[in-house]
Amino acid sequence: MVALIEPETARLKLRQWRATDRGPFAALNADPRVMECFPAPLTRAASDAMADRCQTLIAERGWGFWAVEERAGGRFIGFVGLNIPSADLPFSPCVEIGWRLARPFWGQGLATEAATAALHVGFEHLDLTGIVAFTAIGNARSRAVMTRLGMEPSADTFLHPAVPADSPLREHCLYRLSRESWRAATPVTR
């Protein structure tokens, strides 16, 4: 059995998925504003399948795209974490950092807070040498989080192979963060 890694921050807990997360996760995946930089909102079945994959990967590895809840009150707010992308990307193999939060939790620094905890896991517990992030080029909110995390944008964009060829969201930008850069910018709390 793999030991689960479940980081906490001042306001958040990143944890394994529960059955009770499926409803609020489906609601955020059906929200057109949340999903505006993805090809389409997810059906309930597709959302549940995604949650199941996240849960299975965490059970196998001990880490992944964690369910995120508020420490005060325990409300599910979305997911944040690390993942090995299944798509054949031009920069594979890699580990990505990603997030998706319900709209009521936007604009409070929660994605950055949780993602900072995920980076700590990646660099200090998993000993990764680098972590990437990518999104549709027009996703200003996620790109702002990547910048706040200290990630550096690549000069090149790429066409995401899992996005339909005729989609305006197919062109993606890539951000990178090396362990050395992260350690240089992070106060010593290791």
Side-chain angles (χ1 to χ4, degrees):
M1 179 98 180
V2 173
L4 294 183
I5 301 169
E6 295 184 316
E8 293 189 18
T9 71
R11 298 181 290 173
L12 304 170
K13 181 173 183 179
L14 288 66
R15 58 163 174 76
Q16 178 58 293
W17 291 74
R18 301 178 186 144
T20 55
D21 300 330
R22 299 308 192 267
F25 189 52
L28 79 87
N29 285 324
D31 183 330
R33 290 265 328 273
V34 171
M35 300 301 287
E36 69 186 349
C37 292
F38 293 89
L42 299 182
T43 64
R44 176 62 189 253
S47 179
D48 287 351
M50 183 179 182
D52 290 343
R53 280 191 307 277
C54 292
Q55 184 175 18
T56 298
L57 289 171
I58 291 170
E60 291 173 357
R61 296 182 185 139
W63 56 273
F65 282 149
W66 291 283
V68 180
E69 70 177 38
E70 291 179 307
R71 287 181 63 180
R75 285 190 301 173
F76 174 88
I77 70 167
F79 78 79
V80 176
L82 304 170
N83 181 55
I84 299 171
S86 58
D88 185 19
L89 301 170
F91 42 88
S92 292
C94 61
V95 173
E96 69 169 312
I97 188 165
W99 48 85
R100 187 177 305 161
L101 301 184
R103 260 192 302 148
F105 304 100
W106 290 5
Q108 302 170 47
L110 297 173
T112 302
E113 183 176 326
T116 298
L119 289 173
H120 179 83
V121 170
F123 290 131
E124 297 301 329
H125 297 282
L126 305 178
D127 203 30
L128 299 174
T129 58
I131 296 173
V132 302
F134 48 89
T135 190
I137 58 170
N139 189 346
R141 286 188 304 275
S142 281
R143 293 180 77 169
V145 173
M146 295 169 193
T147 299
R148 284 193 295 274
L149 293 172
M151 303 187 90
E152 293 291 328
S154 172
D156 300 321
T157 61
F158 69 98
L159 299 179
H160 197 297
V163 177
D166 61 346
S167 173
L169 301 172
R170 189 159 192 224
E171 186 176 7
H172 273 52
C173 55
L174 171 67
Y175 284 66
R176 297 179 185 271
L177 182 62
S178 70
R179 180 175 53 213
E180 292 77 22
S181 294
W182 181 79
R183 285 182 173 167
T186 303
V188 178
T189 58
R190 300 186 275 279

